[in-house]
Each structure stands twice: as C-alpha cells, then as structure tokens.
Amino acid sequence: MDTSTCQDYENEIRSLEEEIKLLAEIYEDRQQECTFFSDEEISMAMKSLQGECHGEFKGPLSPSDLKAQLESLETDLSFLMKFTGIQLTNHSKKTVERTRNRTVWKHRLSGNCHSLSFQLEFQLLEVQTKENVSAVVTDLSIILESGEDSDVNKFVSSTEENGSLLTFFRRLSSYAEWYEHRRCTFLHFKGKYPDIVSLPEGLHGDCVTLRNPTVSGLELLIVWKIHMDEEGRTTPVLDLLPKVPEQVLEQKMVTLGDTPTRFRSLLLLFGIEVAIENLIRVVGLQE
C-alpha cells in the first residue's frame, strides 16, 4: 500500500478514537448496569477504556498494522454503540483559533440514539500546560427530534447552558430507551389488536385509544408520558382516561369507573405490557 493509503487509515483511526472516547465516558458512567453483557465483552470494553486499543502511536506502523488497529477500534465502537444505543452518523471539526498552548475547535455532530435523532454544535477550548491538557465546552447548541415535549426542551436548555456533553448523552440514552420501549409496545398492541387499538398521534405519540367494537361510544385512552426533569432523570408516567356512554352504565358495567385506579395497581404489580393486556381483557375488548 502507498503512503496515501496509510494516511487514510490514520485519519479514520483518529476519527474512531474520538467517537470511542465520547462513548467510553458514557459507558464508564453506566457500567454498573451492564449485567446482561458477557464477561468477555465487558473485559474488552475495559481494555478500551484503559487505552490499550487506542493509545498514541509509538512509531511508524505498516499498512497491515494500521488495518488491524482500525478493525480493533471498529469492534470497540460497535460494542459501545450497542450498550448506549448512540450511533454517530456525521462529525466535522475545524480549527477556530490556535496559539502555542491554546486551541479552539468547532465541532458538529449528528446521530441517533435508538429511534431519536439529534444534532449538536459546540466549541471545544483546549488549554495545554506542563502538567496536563484541559478542555472546556462552550457555545453548545442541541437539536433533539422528540416532538414538542416541554420536559425535554427544559432539559436541553439546561444542558446547553451548562455545556455538559457527558450529561446530555448519558441522560439521552436513558430517555431514548423509554421512548423506544413505548414505541415498540404501541406497535405490538396495534399489530395484535388492529380492530381495537388505534394510535391517534402515531407510533411516536404518547397515547393509545382502545375502542370496543361492539359497544358504541366506549373508549379508553391510555396516556404514557416520559417525564424528564431539568437534570435529565427520566420517569415513565402512565394513566387511564375512560369514556363510558350511558348505555354501558345502564348495563351495570359500573366497574369501569374504577378502571383508572385498577390500571395503576396493575402497573405496580405486573408492569406496563401486562397491565395493558389485562385492561383489554377486563373491559371485554378481547373475544
């Protein structure tokens, strides 16, 4: 391979190292939650965090060595993306200012976290001293495609103000997991009960409507909000809003009035999917 090929490998390795460094910080913060990964996978990630796979070059490397290092970095990156759900699809960087011990970079990032897409733009100030190199994020701007969720907008505003990239990605991963779980749950029940379940706001909305095909006017609305505070802590909040016509009440189906309370009890005892499934059966929406 010629010199240009080696340079291409080196450029791609540096790009992967930057992505791995960011995702590794997120991984380090969440490693206590990784019990569903094998010991071998965890060991590999820890080696990556320790710098064994992406340290500084100690001398000229052959094209075959560069290719092997590139493949190793891609493996590390694949694991971290699997764990965090974050996939960077585009990254650009340009120098804004450079002096002897000070450099300002402008970064643009775009990617996905599960089914949520995001775009970031920020400046990174690097100051080098004899002891170490410090970095400060400034002018952070975030675009997160999650609809008009006021909780998310508050969190984004707070993160932009504080300039905390690690907090953003850590909290985004948790929020996106719930966002994706809600989407998949809605899709499951829509597919299983197509004549009963409707999604008035689509798969990315926060509500499901249940209608009894044999009782005109009977409607149950399940509202599933994903609450996020300004620090990014995420909590799912579900509630049930019944709409019961008079003819149903006349048929002594008065127990429907207690359905919201019973639904909340089911959520606590059995979880979201089982609670929704039982709700369908209780009100006679399944033959």
Side-chain angles (χ1 to χ4, degrees):
M1 296 186 185
D2 55 23
T3 304
S4 62
T5 302
C6 290
Q7 186 61 47
D8 289 340
Y9 276 133
E10 290 180 355
N11 292 339
E12 190 165 357
I13 284 172
R14 291 190 184 96
S15 177
L16 287 171
E17 285 176 339
E18 290 182 358
E19 292 187 33
I20 287 174
K21 182 179 179 181
L22 176 62
L23 291 173
E25 290 176 345
I26 303 168
Y27 169 82
E28 186 177 28
D29 186 76
R30 300 187 62 196
Q31 60 182 310
Q32 298 299 324
E33 304 172 18
C34 63
T35 55
F36 51 91
F37 289 98
S38 68
D39 292 341
E40 181 180 354
E41 289 177 312
I42 295 172
S43 176
M44 178 197 67
M46 292 304 295
K47 288 180 180 179
S48 173
L49 293 176
Q50 293 165 2
E52 294 182 17
C53 296
H54 48 70
E56 295 294 331
F57 294 128
K58 296 182 179 179
L61 297 177
S62 67
S64 60
D65 290 336
L66 288 170
K67 185 176 181 180
Q69 187 172 11
L70 178 62
E71 290 173 350
S72 177
L73 289 168
E74 288 175 338
T75 300
D76 292 342
L77 182 62
S78 176
F79 170 79
L80 291 170
M81 287 191 300
K82 177 182 177 182
F83 182 79
T84 64
I86 297 172
Q87 181 175 8
L88 301 179
T89 57
N90 189 41
H91 174 230
S92 64
K93 178 177 71 172
K94 69 177 182 179
T95 305
V96 176
E97 175 188 340
R98 186 190 294 274
T99 62
R100 182 178 178 182
N101 60 355
R102 169 190 169 99
T103 305
V104 179
W105 306 91
K106 186 169 185 178
H107 291 262
R108 286 190 175 92
L109 287 172
S110 61
N112 303 292
C113 186
H114 297 291
S115 57
L116 286 178
S117 61
F118 60 85
Q119 298 178 39
L120 301 178
E121 184 174 306
F122 59 92
Q123 290 194 22
L124 186 66
L125 169 62
E126 294 182 353
V127 179
Q128 185 170 4
T129 64
K130 293 181 179 180
E131 291 78 18
N132 56 24
V133 177
S134 62
V136 178
V137 174
T138 62
D139 299 330
L140 176 60
S141 176
I142 301 171
I143 298 176
L144 181 60
E145 296 183 8
S146 60
E148 298 299 324
D149 192 314
S150 60
D151 288 345
V152 175
N153 291 336
K154 290 178 182 178
F155 166 68
V156 168
S157 297
S158 176
T159 304
E160 289 176 335
E161 183 178 349
N162 296 327
S164 178
L165 280 177
L166 179 58
T167 297
F168 170 74
F169 281 112
R170 183 175 67 243
R171 300 307 190 187
L172 171 65
S173 183
S174 176
Y175 178 85
E177 283 181 1
W178 276 111
Y179 190 91
E180 178 69 6
H181 179 50
R182 181 178 65 182
R183 187 190 70 84
C184 291
T185 302
F186 286 178
L187 182 63
H188 165 73
F189 284 110
K190 176 62 178 175
K192 189 173 183 178
Y193 305 104
D195 298 330
I196 297 169
V197 175
S198 62
L199 306 173
E201 299 176 355
L203 279 176
H204 297 288
D206 57 16
C207 63
V208 170
T209 299
L210 307 179
R211 292 188 178 91
N212 189 320
T214 62
V215 181
S216 177
L218 176 60
E219 181 177 304
L220 298 176
L221 181 67
I222 300 173
V223 180
W224 183 346
K225 298 286 187 179
I226 304 174
H227 175 69
M228 174 184 276
D229 63 21
E230 291 189 9
E231 296 181 359
R233 290 184 290 264
T234 303
T235 308
V237 180
L238 286 87
D239 207 351
L240 180 67
L241 305 176
K243 178 182 177 182
V244 186
E246 291 184 3
Q247 61 266 34
V248 174
L249 295 176
E250 292 172 357
Q251 294 170 6
K252 298 183 179 179
M253 295 181 65
V254 293
T255 54
L256 284 175
D258 298 330
T259 303
T261 301
R262 295 183 179 184
F263 179 64
R264 286 189 287 270
S265 298
L266 285 172
L267 287 171
L268 293 174
L269 291 172
F270 302 110
I272 295 172
E273 293 83 356
V274 174
I276 294 176
E277 188 84 39
N278 277 276
L279 177 64
I280 293 174
R281 295 176 179 177
V282 166
V283 297
L285 297 179
Q286 182 182 21
E287 296 181 357

